[in-house]
Amino acid sequence: MTVLWLVILGLAMGLVFGIALEKGRVFEPGVMIGQFQLRSWIMLKMFLTAIATGLVVLAVLNGSGLAPLHPKGTEYLNNLIGGLIFGAGIAIAGACPGTVLAQIGAGYKDSWFILAGAIFGAMAYGYAEPVLGPALSGGPGKLTIAEMTGLPYWALALILAAVIAGGLVFLERWRPWRDDLGTDYTGVPTGSSAHHPSGLAHPAE
Amino acid sequence: MLSLTDKAWSPYAAGVVIGLLQIPAFLLADTALGASSSFVSVAGYVASVFDPAVRDMDYFAKYMTSTKYAWQSALVVGIALGALISTRLAKTRRPRMSPLWRAALPVSGFGGRAAMAFAGGFVMLFGARMAGGCTSGHGISGVGQLAVGSILTIVAMFVGGIAVAMMYRKV
């Protein structure tokens, strides 16, 4: 495959990805932080729907022998410590590595600073990796639940997709997604101090 | 029906669209959806301007030579373009920064938020690379492949995110 073809394919897939992130509102800091504050549920709904859809897609593609899986390796300390730092970073930035680009496209100017910080964060890890990587390595390597249980991937994938779908039905009945859109689709609830001219957190401009 | 001029789609519709992107990812690009690796590619090229030795470092070299990361870098650029087009078609206008920040934090001006954004971006990508992936690679793709390390990473991600966000003012 030529690089040009891969770039065109990546751009086309990214366009669809970006439209879905913008329409789904999950790129909004108000939605992401709202999920971490357990007041908004749009992010979890979209994340679990994407996973469940992917499970069905991969159950078909892998089960029929059309595509091999590409699971990442398991290294306990790297995964757990890195995951904690990553989550804290999302809460400080208000974005993850994919949604920061959607924020830039949608017009948030502070997201350019997230992008710059992210590039330097990747650079810092790259320089630290020769020491940090081996120090925190250790684990079973590429390991999936399917391999652990000895059950076929496609069967487990379809079961988990069904469980997620069922859970989402209950989540939606408990908390309809429209309730979390917020003022002007920012994911920030109407009536929060952000929208009160006299609010403590709203300085004179 | 979903329309590009809609201000919002349900998270279920948007999630299905993203999940379906695994079809071209696995069949045409021979990889899974991901985003954070491309930051290492860009970081490698930026660093190589000042420090040509990075090309000889295994970690950077991997992300600067494989065509997989050309695909992923194009993907993240496409995300920005897609969001731009979607915003324009929906006639949704965003302020310079989300109103969330003034509601949740004692951040008043753009400068303070910009500094916080830079620091947050740095921590976020450092953590993602330590874990070996992000919300897309470990989350959507890794959990979808039932990878043990990905499930651990995403649980830790939510714990870390909730721990920090709970310190903010609840909006």
Side-chain angles (χ1 to χ4, degrees):
Chain A
M1 275 184 289
T2 66
V3 173
L4 180 65
W5 154 243
L6 283 170
V7 166
I8 292 169
L9 177 70
L11 271 177
M13 290 175 65
L15 271 179
V16 176
F17 204 157
I19 289 169
L21 289 173
E22 203 278 334
K23 293 299 183 210
R25 310 313 300 159
V26 74
F27 78 99
E28 291 282 356
V31 170
M32 270 180 282
I33 301 297
Q35 181 67 65
F36 284 151
Q37 291 187 324
L38 308 179
R39 69 161 167 80
S40 163
W41 297 88
I42 285 179
M43 175 177 152
L44 192 67
K45 288 171 183 173
M46 195 162 155
F47 185 60
L48 289 176
T49 304
I51 288 173
T53 306
L55 282 165
V56 174
V57 163
L58 294 178
V60 173
L61 293 185
N62 185 251
S64 63
L66 275 172
L69 295 179
H70 300 285
K72 292 174 184 285
T74 299
E75 293 182 352
Y76 297 120
L77 289 178
N78 269 319
N79 290 147
L80 289 173
I81 300 172
L84 279 172
I85 297 173
F86 176 48
I90 295 176
I92 301 168
C96 66
T99 52
V100 61
L101 276 305
Q103 290 176 357
I104 286 173
Y108 282 132
K109 298 292 181 277
D110 57 331
S111 302
W112 288 98
F113 292 87
I114 305 175
L115 180 67
I119 291 168
F120 279 101
M123 196 184 294
Y125 183 76
Y127 277 109
E129 194 274 342
V131 176
L132 267 187
L136 299 177
S137 70
K142 291 191 178 182
L143 178 68
T144 68
I145 306 275
E147 290 158 358
M148 278 173 74
T149 56
L151 296 166
Y153 167 79
W154 64 265
L156 279 176
L158 292 178
I159 291 169
L160 182 58
V163 170
I164 290 175
L168 287 173
V169 169
F170 279 101
L171 190 56
E172 184 62 26
R173 276 193 195 157
W174 171 68
R175 178 91 190 169
W177 64 272
R178 288 180 192 280
D179 290 1
D180 289 332
L181 285 173
T183 301
D184 196 24
Y185 304 90
T186 56
V188 180
T190 310
S192 88
S193 55
H195 304 293
H196 285 305
S198 59
L200 266 179
H202 198 293
E205 284 182 85
Chain B
M1 264 311 284
L2 300 178
S3 162
L4 287 176
T5 56
D6 291 343
K7 295 254 188 196
W9 292 349
S10 85
Y12 309 108
V16 167
V17 169
I18 291 172
L20 290 176
L21 284 173
Q22 296 290 16
I23 298 173
F26 275 81
L27 289 184
L28 301 178
D30 194 30
T31 185
L33 277 186
S36 71
S37 299
S38 62
F39 286 77
V40 185
S41 306
V42 174
Y45 286 110
V46 172
S48 69
V49 175
F50 310 98
D51 179 12
V54 294
R55 291 178 182 278
D56 301 320
M57 293 175 71
D58 291 344
Y59 188 75
F60 282 115
K62 177 182 161 196
Y63 295 95
M64 293 169 75
T65 51
S66 167
T67 54
K68 175 182 159 187
Y69 305 110
W71 167 81
Q72 203 186 87
S73 301
L75 181 89
V76 297
V77 172
I79 288 175
L81 293 175
L84 174 71
I85 292 167
S86 179
T87 300
R88 289 289 161 89
L89 291 176
K91 297 190 169 66
T92 307
R93 295 196 56 185
R94 297 293 87 179
R96 288 171 81 202
M97 60 191 228
S98 168
L100 170 88
W101 301 113
R102 282 176 187 151
L105 286 167
V107 172
S108 53
F110 186 79
R113 170 56 200 155
M116 179 187 175
F118 184 91
F122 187 99
V123 173
M124 169 185 76
L125 235 296
F126 191 94
R129 292 326 304 164
M130 184 186 280
C134 64
T135 329
S136 303
H138 265 316
I140 296 168
S141 299
V143 176
Q145 294 177 81
L146 308 177
V148 174
S150 297
I151 296 167
L152 293 175
T153 301
I154 293 306
V155 170
M157 176 196 91
F158 272 100
V159 171
I162 289 169
V164 170
M166 285 299 182
M167 289 189 272
Y168 298 165
R169 197 181 298 131
K170 202 150 182 176
V171 296

mmCIF file of all heavy atoms in Angstrom, chain A residues 156-173:
data_model
loop_
_atom_site.group_PDB
_atom_site.id
_atom_site.type_symbol
_atom_site.label_atom_id
_atom_site.label_comp_id
_atom_site.label_asym_id
_atom_site.label_seq_id
_atom_site.Cartn_x
_atom_site.Cartn_y
_atom_site.Cartn_z
ATOM 1 N N LEU A 156 -17.738 -14.455 22.402
ATOM 2 C CA LEU A 156 -17.613 -13.535 23.530
ATOM 3 C C LEU A 156 -17.966 -12.114 23.111
ATOM 4 O O LEU A 156 -18.621 -11.369 23.857
ATOM 5 C CB LEU A 156 -16.174 -13.558 24.059
ATOM 6 C CG LEU A 156 -15.796 -14.704 24.988
ATOM 7 C CD1 LEU A 156 -14.312 -14.605 25.328
ATOM 8 C CD2 LEU A 156 -16.637 -14.659 26.253
ATOM 9 N N ALA A 157 -17.522 -11.724 21.907
ATOM 10 C CA ALA A 157 -17.762 -10.363 21.424
ATOM 11 C C ALA A 157 -19.258 -10.106 21.281
ATOM 12 O O ALA A 157 -19.769 -9.061 21.691
ATOM 13 C CB ALA A 157 -17.041 -10.139 20.089
ATOM 14 N N LEU A 158 -19.980 -11.073 20.714
ATOM 15 C CA LEU A 158 -21.425 -10.888 20.520
ATOM 16 C C LEU A 158 -22.152 -10.858 21.864
ATOM 17 O O LEU A 158 -23.086 -10.074 22.055
ATOM 18 C CB LEU A 158 -21.999 -11.987 19.616
ATOM 19 C CG LEU A 158 -21.526 -11.934 18.155
ATOM 20 C CD1 LEU A 158 -22.113 -13.092 17.352
ATOM 21 C CD2 LEU A 158 -21.900 -10.593 17.504
ATOM 22 N N ILE A 159 -21.702 -11.689 22.806
ATOM 23 C CA ILE A 159 -22.332 -11.692 24.139
ATOM 24 C C ILE A 159 -22.111 -10.335 24.816
ATOM 25 O O ILE A 159 -23.051 -9.721 25.340
ATOM 26 C CB ILE A 159 -21.749 -12.830 25.014
ATOM 27 C CG1 ILE A 159 -22.195 -14.191 24.477
ATOM 28 C CG2 ILE A 159 -22.190 -12.664 26.485
ATOM 29 C CD1 ILE A 159 -21.465 -15.374 25.094
ATOM 30 N N LEU A 160 -20.857 -9.848 24.778
ATOM 31 C CA LEU A 160 -20.573 -8.571 25.433
ATOM 32 C C LEU A 160 -21.333 -7.421 24.764
ATOM 33 O O LEU A 160 -21.855 -6.524 25.443
ATOM 34 C CB LEU A 160 -19.058 -8.287 25.425
ATOM 35 C CG LEU A 160 -18.628 -6.999 26.126
ATOM 36 C CD1 LEU A 160 -19.069 -6.982 27.593
ATOM 37 C CD2 LEU A 160 -17.114 -6.805 26.051
ATOM 38 N N ALA A 161 -21.421 -7.470 23.426
ATOM 39 C CA ALA A 161 -22.171 -6.423 22.713
ATOM 40 C C ALA A 161 -23.628 -6.417 23.179
ATOM 41 O O ALA A 161 -24.218 -5.346 23.381
ATOM 42 C CB ALA A 161 -22.082 -6.645 21.202
ATOM 43 N N ALA A 162 -24.207 -7.602 23.366
ATOM 44 C CA ALA A 162 -25.600 -7.681 23.813
ATOM 45 C C ALA A 162 -25.746 -7.151 25.238
ATOM 46 O O ALA A 162 -26.712 -6.442 25.552
ATOM 47 C CB ALA A 162 -26.087 -9.137 23.727
ATOM 48 N N VAL A 163 -24.771 -7.480 26.100
ATOM 49 C CA VAL A 163 -24.815 -6.993 27.485
ATOM 50 C C VAL A 163 -24.731 -5.460 27.507
ATOM 51 O O VAL A 163 -25.484 -4.783 28.221
ATOM 52 C CB VAL A 163 -23.661 -7.611 28.311
ATOM 53 C CG1 VAL A 163 -23.544 -6.940 29.679
ATOM 54 C CG2 VAL A 163 -23.876 -9.119 28.469
ATOM 55 N N ILE A 164 -23.813 -4.903 26.689
ATOM 56 C CA ILE A 164 -23.665 -3.441 26.628
ATOM 57 C C ILE A 164 -24.963 -2.803 26.128
ATOM 58 O O ILE A 164 -25.452 -1.821 26.691
ATOM 59 C CB ILE A 164 -22.478 -3.046 25.721
ATOM 60 C CG1 ILE A 164 -21.156 -3.433 26.389
ATOM 61 C CG2 ILE A 164 -22.502 -1.543 25.416
ATOM 62 C CD1 ILE A 164 -19.925 -3.204 25.518
ATOM 63 N N ALA A 165 -25.547 -3.393 25.064
ATOM 64 C CA ALA A 165 -26.787 -2.836 24.504
ATOM 65 C C ALA A 165 -27.882 -2.815 25.568
ATOM 66 O O ALA A 165 -28.608 -1.825 25.715
ATOM 67 C CB ALA A 165 -27.215 -3.642 23.284
ATOM 68 N N GLY A 166 -27.980 -3.891 26.320
ATOM 69 C CA GLY A 166 -28.976 -3.946 27.389
ATOM 70 C C GLY A 166 -28.730 -2.882 28.444
ATOM 71 O O GLY A 166 -29.661 -2.200 28.890
ATOM 72 N N GLY A 167 -27.467 -2.717 28.828
ATOM 73 C CA GLY A 167 -27.114 -1.707 29.813
ATOM 74 C C GLY A 167 -27.443 -0.305 29.325
ATOM 75 O O GLY A 167 -27.913 0.543 30.094
ATOM 76 N N LEU A 168 -27.230 -0.069 28.017
ATOM 77 C CA LEU A 168 -27.501 1.263 27.460
ATOM 78 C C LEU A 168 -28.997 1.566 27.462
ATOM 79 O O LEU A 168 -29.402 2.725 27.653
ATOM 80 C CB LEU A 168 -26.922 1.371 26.047
ATOM 81 C CG LEU A 168 -25.396 1.479 25.981
ATOM 82 C CD1 LEU A 168 -24.903 1.404 24.536
ATOM 83 C CD2 LEU A 168 -24.909 2.777 26.628
ATOM 84 N N VAL A 169 -29.819 0.547 27.248
ATOM 85 C CA VAL A 169 -31.276 0.757 27.293
ATOM 86 C C VAL A 169 -31.678 1.271 28.676
ATOM 87 O O VAL A 169 -32.432 2.246 28.802
ATOM 88 C CB VAL A 169 -32.027 -0.548 26.956
ATOM 89 C CG1 VAL A 169 -33.523 -0.402 27.258
ATOM 90 C CG2 VAL A 169 -31.815 -0.921 25.492
ATOM 91 N N PHE A 170 -31.133 0.658 29.715
ATOM 92 C CA PHE A 170 -31.450 1.099 31.086
ATOM 93 C C PHE A 170 -30.895 2.499 31.356
ATOM 94 O O PHE A 170 -31.558 3.337 31.961
ATOM 95 C CB PHE A 170 -30.899 0.102 32.103
ATOM 96 C CG PHE A 170 -31.783 -1.091 32.268
ATOM 97 C CD1 PHE A 170 -31.481 -2.289 31.645
ATOM 98 C CD2 PHE A 170 -32.955 -1.017 33.028
ATOM 99 C CE1 PHE A 170 -32.315 -3.392 31.771
ATOM 100 C CE2 PHE A 170 -33.796 -2.107 33.162
ATOM 101 C CZ PHE A 170 -33.473 -3.298 32.532
ATOM 102 N N LEU A 171 -29.649 2.735 30.897
ATOM 103 C CA LEU A 171 -29.018 4.038 31.113
ATOM 104 C C LEU A 171 -29.856 5.143 30.469
ATOM 105 O O LEU A 171 -30.078 6.204 31.065
ATOM 106 C CB LEU A 171 -27.595 4.013 30.526
ATOM 107 C CG LEU A 171 -26.658 5.183 30.838
ATOM 108 C CD1 LEU A 171 -26.504 5.398 32.333
ATOM 109 C CD2 LEU A 171 -25.281 4.942 30.195
ATOM 110 N N GLU A 172 -30.355 4.872 29.253
ATOM 111 C CA GLU A 172 -31.132 5.883 28.537
ATOM 112 C C GLU A 172 -32.489 6.121 29.215
ATOM 113 O O GLU A 172 -32.986 7.234 29.251
ATOM 114 C CB GLU A 172 -31.315 5.450 27.079
ATOM 115 C CG GLU A 172 -32.027 6.455 26.203
ATOM 116 C CD GLU A 172 -31.281 7.789 26.071
ATOM 117 O OE1 GLU A 172 -30.050 7.820 26.226
ATOM 118 O OE2 GLU A 172 -31.956 8.807 25.820
ATOM 119 N N ARG A 173 -33.091 5.051 29.747
ATOM 120 C CA ARG A 173 -34.368 5.218 30.443
ATOM 121 C C ARG A 173 -34.176 6.028 31.710
ATOM 122 O O ARG A 173 -35.002 6.854 32.077
ATOM 123 C CB ARG A 173 -34.945 3.849 30.816
ATOM 124 C CG ARG A 173 -35.696 3.238 29.673
ATOM 125 C CD ARG A 173 -36.525 2.058 30.134
ATOM 126 N NE ARG A 173 -36.932 1.296 28.977
ATOM 127 C CZ ARG A 173 -37.276 0.018 29.007
ATOM 128 N NH1 ARG A 173 -37.268 -0.638 30.158
ATOM 129 N NH2 ARG A 173 -37.632 -0.594 27.912
#
